[in-house]
Amino acid sequence: MVDRTDFERLDAADPLAGVVGRFSLPDGLVYLDGNSLGPLPTHVPEAVSRVVVDEWGRDLIRSWNAHGWWEMPGVVGDMIAPLIGAPPGSVIAGDTTSIALYKSVAAARHLRPDRTVILSDSGNFPTDLYVLGSVAEQTDAKLVMVEPHEVGEAIDESVAVVSLTHVDYRTGRRHHMGELTGAAHRRGAMMVWDLAHSAGAMDLDIAEADMAVGCGYKYLNGGPGAPAFVYVRGDHASSLVNPISGWWGHAEPFAMSSSFVPAPGIERMQVGTQPIIALVALKSALEAFDGVDPHQLRSKSEMLTDAFIRLVEERVDAVEVVTPRQASARGSHVSLAHPEAVRVMAALIAEGVVGDVRPPNLLRFGFAPMYQLHTDVWDAVETIERVLAEERWRDFAFSSHTVT
């Protein structure tokens, strides 16, 4: 019979065991919400203090040159590139995911002016759909949404851009990136991926896609509101038209010319002055990935989610697992359905297990392989079982929290 010692042995044999100490987590807390906000890497406070006190405080404007502030978006982009399977010089960091997506999809649409459809699916993240709708309205296109399993068949010669989130933010269902990118290209469409729920939790091979975006505050652990990133395939880098022309995307930003000439490569995807303190925090957070093989991340992610699903199905009758059982069909979070999800999660958090809720009835638990322990799985399921068996959630009123 499996018990907690079996999970302790897995932790002892974990090839990523040495990485866990790179993160600051409160004692006694099982934190399963890194798919919403990653924890603080231990070395980030020192880096942020240095840029604030020493660089901004002492060197002032000289820091743009003396401390590489101007180059920071590209430096951070090059640190993200290997985590998503992209070559150096193809990723730039900055702005937010929504802005990054807007720029990317509008630029992709510009490369297919004779087509009229932007294609997505009903499982896409809501803000992505809002952004796609805006691009469609502004470029005389039509946003078409289909069910996730219908995307491949829906790509035809009318589709200018296919834009999808790799991992469904609710259920954890995962699109097959290679197959859908290939299908889009065979039919002449551009492919833009949102990697917000993928980057930092698994190995990726984004190089064949036309563009991709992602955020820095989930599995990349860059802090609340951390900058996003944009990937552009090399053969597009000097032909894309950024829909928002700004001086950071200019070929000669300090020439102060009254006419816009785009930078020759990925830098043209920039717009205005970037948030240097936030970029420094993200850069420092990404250093936690030094020496980590993305394939190890995926292997551990599969082990953690497999074990969680198996234990839940063995021990907890009051919930339904809605995340795919097949590892290749899911990301790194698992969702459980319960009619009182909000109150159940409040009870779990009170018991030291932190996940989050997605409407109407999903309890969502993220498993970040960089710092998650196998014993976290055991402890989380024990707590879920106890809270539901004893109906402890009845002690909690419906939450009025804005953020969940």
Side-chain angles (χ1 to χ4, degrees):
M1 182 177 177
V2 176
D3 60 23
R4 196 176 192 277
T5 59
D6 295 291
F7 287 76
E8 291 170 351
R9 282 192 286 269
L10 289 173
D11 284 331
D14 181 8
L16 295 175
V19 184
V20 175
R22 299 176 185 179
F23 296 88
S24 178
L25 284 163
D27 291 338
L29 186 73
V30 178
Y31 188 69
L32 301 179
D33 211 7
N35 52 313
S36 279
L37 176 65
L40 175 69
T42 56
H43 51 290
V44 168
E46 180 182 353
V48 172
S49 176
R50 184 171 60 249
V51 73
V52 171
V53 176
D54 297 337
E55 298 177 13
W56 177 19
R58 183 190 64 214
D59 294 337
L60 295 164
I61 199 167
R62 293 171 294 178
S63 294
W64 286 103
N65 295 311
H67 300 294
W69 285 4
W70 184 268
E71 295 80 16
M72 194 67 65
V75 170
V76 174
D78 279 345
M79 296 175 75
I80 293 171
L83 298 178
I84 65 171
S90 65
V91 180
I92 200 87
D95 296 319
T96 67
T97 312
S98 297
I99 294 172
L101 183 67
Y102 176 84
K103 293 186 297 184
S104 299
V105 174
R109 168 78 176 109
H110 184 267
L111 293 178
R112 295 292 184 271
D114 56 330
R115 297 182 174 217
T116 59
V117 171
I118 296 174
L119 180 67
S120 191
D121 72 72
S122 58
N124 206 346
F125 191 66
T127 197
D128 287 35
L129 296 176
Y130 308 155
V131 168
L132 299 180
S134 293
V135 175
E137 182 178 354
Q138 294 164 10
T139 62
D140 295 322
K142 178 173 66 172
L143 173 60
V144 174
M145 285 182 288
V146 298
E147 292 301 305
H149 66 277
E150 297 173 339
V151 172
E153 293 183 357
I155 306 172
D156 60 24
E157 285 68 25
S158 70
V159 175
V161 184
V162 182
S163 182
L164 304 168
T165 295
H166 183 217
V167 173
D168 188 311
Y169 76 104
R170 292 170 302 184
T171 66
R173 173 199 47 78
R174 177 184 178 187
H175 276 303
H176 194 295
M177 184 179 292
E179 287 183 4
L180 290 178
T181 298
H185 289 165
R186 283 192 299 274
R187 294 168 178 86
M190 300 285 287
M191 185 74 234
V192 181
W193 287 100
D194 182 340
L195 307 177
H197 284 276
S198 307
M202 64 186 72
D203 56 312
L204 296 166
D205 184 7
I206 200 65
E208 291 305 312
D210 299 290
M211 278 167 276
V213 303
C215 75
Y217 53 81
K218 298 182 189 295
Y219 294 115
L220 298 182
N221 313 299
F229 64 86
V230 174
Y231 158 77
V232 176
R233 204 175 69 195
D235 55 329
H236 297 313
S238 294
S239 58
L240 283 181
V241 176
N242 185 338
I244 311 174
S245 299
W247 77 296
W248 272 54
H250 197 287
E252 297 182 82
F254 287 96
M256 302 299 175
S257 169
S258 59
S259 59
F260 183 77
V261 178
I266 186 67
E267 287 79 12
R268 68 175 50 202
M269 293 303 287
Q270 298 182 105
V271 182
T273 306
Q274 295 302 312
I276 298 303
I277 297 172
L279 281 168
V280 168
L282 177 56
K283 176 179 180 293
S284 181
L286 290 167
E287 291 169 1
F289 287 89
D290 288 352
V292 173
D293 183 343
H295 291 88
Q296 290 179 321
L297 294 175
R298 184 55 186 165
S299 176
K300 184 176 177 182
S301 168
E302 290 182 359
M303 290 180 67
L304 292 167
T305 51
D306 275 338
F308 183 77
I309 291 171
R310 184 179 68 253
L311 284 179
V312 166
E313 292 188 325
E314 289 175 357
R315 298 173 56 175
V316 186
D317 295 329
V319 296
E320 175 192 358
V321 177
V322 300
T323 300
R325 274 66 165 180
Q326 185 178 357
S328 62
R330 68 171 181 263
S332 202
H333 69 265
V334 177
S335 293
L336 312 177
H338 189 281
E340 294 286 352
V342 172
R343 297 169 72 186
V344 171
M345 185 55 70
L348 290 173
I349 291 172
E351 295 282 332
V353 174
V354 178
D356 62 19
V357 176
R358 288 297 175 260
N361 64 339
L362 295 183
L363 300 155
R364 194 174 66 158
F365 303 92
F367 294 89
M370 285 287 285
Y371 53 83
Q372 221 79 67
L373 300 173
H374 291 84
T375 47
D376 288 341
V377 173
W378 180 269
D379 294 342
V381 175
E382 278 213 325
T383 304
I384 294 168
E385 181 183 25
R386 183 174 66 253
V387 162
L388 291 174
E390 298 176 3
E391 296 190 338
R392 295 192 180 191
W393 55 268
R394 293 190 182 276
D395 296 332
F396 293 83
F398 188 81
S399 173
S400 61
H401 291 173
T402 302
V403 180
T404 61

